[in-house]
Amino acid sequence: PESPLAGFSTALSQTPSISSISLEGREELQVNQLETQIWIKPGIQKTDVDFSEILNAIHEIAKDVNIFFDELEGVNSPSKDDDSLLHHGNLTSTSDDASRLEVVGEEVPDKNKANGLYFRDGKCRIDYILVYRKSNPQAEKREVFERNIRAEGLQMEKESSLTNSDIIFVKLHAPWEVLGKYAELMNVRMPFRRKIYYLHRRYKFMNRIEKQISRFRGWLPRKPMKLDKETLPDLEENDCYTAPFSQQRIHHFIIHNKDTFFNNATRSRIVHHILQRVKYEEGKNKIGLNRLLSNGSYEAAFPLHEGSYRSKNSIRTHGAENHRHLLYECWASWGVWYKYQPLDLVRRYFGEKIGLYFAWLGWYTGMLFPAAFIGLFVFLYGVTTLNHCQVSKEVCQATDIIMCPICDKYCPFMRLSDSCVYAKVTHLFDNGATVFFAVFMAVWATVFLEFWKRRRAVIAYDWDLIDWEEEEEEIRPQFEAKYSKKERMNPISGKPEPYQAFADKCSRLIVSASGIFFMICVVIAAVFGIVIYRVVTVSTFAAFKWALIRNNSQVATTGTAVCINFCIIMLLNVLYEKVALFLTNLEQPRTESEWENSFTLKMFLFQFVNLNSSTFYIAFFLGRFTGHPGAYLRLINRWRLEECHPSGCLIDLCMQMGIIMVLKQTWNNFMELGYPLIQNWWTRRKLRQEYGTQRKTNFPQWEKDYNLQPMNAYGLFDEYLEMILQFGFTTIFVAAFPLAPLLALLNNIIEIRLDAYKFVTQWRRPLASRAKDIGIWYGILEGIGILSVITNAFVIAVTSDFIPRLVYAYKYGPCAGQGEAGQKCMVGYVNASLSVFLVSDFENRSEPTSNGSEFSGSPLKYCRYRDYRDPPHAPVPYGYTLQFWHVLAARLAFIIVFEHLVFCIKHLISYLIPDLPKDLRDRMRREKYLIQEMMYEAELERLQKERKERKKNGKSYHNEWP
């Protein structure tokens, strides 16, 4: 008798080119062992079908014909997320039937099935994961979305969670045809020919010098910071010329294996690109995965990590298990803190945007080495010259100089020699090398930015970002919903799109600017509160019963004020984030990049003002507008404004910067790593309690990744913001705190490994995205560089005693008129910088409780204070002296000269340093030339090969060229 499958096989064999078959009236047979559906010709009885014959027939058919059942699947598939066939931890396949048929009869790789990175067939790699809950009411949208996903050619499998049956994981795989199609549409650059390196022509003299240098290097130890090349994989795309992928010219590209030709990051990016353009509902704007995530249809969406980051075997003896394991061992591990970063591997795993962040962070950290070294040298110079400093000596020996009280009533008279320690500490930061260091740091900031542009150009060339341009961005859903009624033609795409009127945009920007101004006023109000706290607590600590606090009342006031200020800063940061979010949404930016830039600018402005406002107050206002004894200026005619310490205000500024910098960096590092560590530990603890330790190790990769923390909603914003604020601290007030670059360097060495550890182990794998540079942050860095020149000029001229000492040495000291300014010329400076006050001229509310009889046995008649004023018996009592006006003129002249000199140097350096290195420019030109030649040769070779084949087959052909 005729085989039951004869009609089925004959029908298919007669139409071998058919790619889609749609028949009606067929009966359905579910073969559970194959986990697939087979359609049988009408008239065949189910009992007549032999199972082994089905296997053989399907195996033969699958070799020649691709069979898709999309239409039938759309009709007969369960609707509205029907998961009746989905069991706890078991797989329900909805992938294309062609891929199912190909697997039948073949051996499934057990290793691929076990590692949780593949479909159940062990061949289809998981490129993307979607997560939703069955209890979610958005089932109809998901059904349409997933049906359209399959129509785009993506393969899909679903699996329930092992820990919660309500959670469903949707695994997506992009076949080669889909990858090739969309790689061409997205202009993904792929390797097609190995690079040919050539040597520049050298002169004999240069060759001799290079030989001597290489011989000298041979005596030195090997560079310990370089990574072992044997450990890193051969990143082929970095050694090859690349070109936009084209299916018509596929023979030009180096394809050893179609499964690995597109790396995992590229595959995930292509799948995400598809998901962003798939509809989930009828309507013009009902499209894209982001909208489904925002309305709760899907709970999460992410690409998978490439397995575990730990291994029982050593990486040196057995090699890396995967790229994640390799990144952990040679990048995220604390044992390699002194090594260079494997940036090419970071870019390959996380994408160019994250790779550029770590490249910038590494470059910034490397450039901090000379700044930290010079700052440490300035500090050590102050230490070594401490015993030779004439000013410190005079302060420490001034036992007969009695200073006026620094607060009302409770503050006592004090000897100037009591501030000996503070005078010595001030000399450590305020010495002859401070001005040089301020100029150096202003130039350093410019050199850092200019050389970063060159470094970025090299990275962009190596990573194929030179010719990359961002795609036309999609309009934000909120913008579409707000302005959908009014449309105009997009000049680029030629399609109608929502339009925001100019008047509406201006009004929103004005309201937003008003909100920013109001929040800056809130910051100023907070600083005003800190000022009142300092004024009130100085008197309180001066009357304290503990002698330690009573004798150091001003230091205690400054220390507690800084700590309270830090707490206010951290609380206001939470408020600022919400306000910046509200104001940015109020502006209704058109695209995501416009929204991101607007939000970034507001957050930076808020946090910068919040962090530095109190520092600006201490640097430029503390002790400047206090008046003088007998005529103090007061807040609300009640509180006397705070004065500087007898040794100056610089010690207060150093304390402010040191405490804020250390506390903020410690807090940031805890929040970056400690918080996700605690959250992940708590999740693992709950899983161990419910399922035991053995079950945890058997979780598939998608389950493990889902239990990790998602990346921040704002992407790399927090990482950049932290480093930019630190850059501001390092440059803006560096003249007052030369150790700031050293603290920044130590923090960044830890920061790189903390961020690496967080990305590799604590966060889900972020989507690989491309970028050419660090975006708006570069403009902010340039603004900080300009501001740093101005602030350092004012710190040296106003806050430090550099200018008063210089004026005294050249005009009023022992060396006046001799053109010298050594330590011997500073004799008598302390006495000349102090004015005399008659104690009987005190106001009633300012008069101290003690009369100073403890110093000389009789009540004090005179006390001294820091200022340049006439004595009480002068024709104009307490009027400014001529020395005051000389010092003021010198300060203004120094600010003008310093700023113009440094800005000229900055612009000269910017002009002299080209943005593109010469050798890179030559390489780019040569590569362009070689690529054209290679494409021409490859096309010529193909045409000649076709011509030979036509000759061989005896077919007629035209006399075409060549």
Side-chain angles (χ1 to χ4, degrees), residues 149-169:
I149 288 175
R150 291 195 295 271
E152 289 289 340
L154 295 180
Q155 298 176 11
M156 184 189 303
E157 282 185 351
K158 291 185 181 180
E159 187 156 344
S160 62
S161 171
L162 294 174
T163 59
N164 187 349
S165 59
D166 188 43
I167 297 176
I168 305 298
F169 295 98

Side-chain angles (χ1 to χ4, degrees), residues 188-234:
V188 177
R189 299 181 69 90
M190 301 304 295
F192 75 94
R193 190 71 62 90
R194 288 197 171 274
K195 288 184 178 179
I196 302 172
Y197 295 97
Y198 68 98
L199 297 175
H200 293 283
R201 184 178 178 182
R202 301 281 188 181
Y203 294 102
K204 291 183 179 180
F205 177 71
M206 294 298 297
N207 285 334
R208 289 175 186 171
I209 293 178
E210 288 183 356
K211 285 181 181 178
Q212 294 296 329
I213 292 174
S214 61
R215 185 181 300 175
F216 175 73
R217 284 178 178 173
W219 298 339
L220 298 176
R222 298 291 180 185
K223 291 184 179 179
M225 294 182 290
K226 283 194 173 182
L227 292 163
D228 299 331
K229 290 186 178 181
E230 298 177 357
T231 307
L232 293 174
D234 180 23

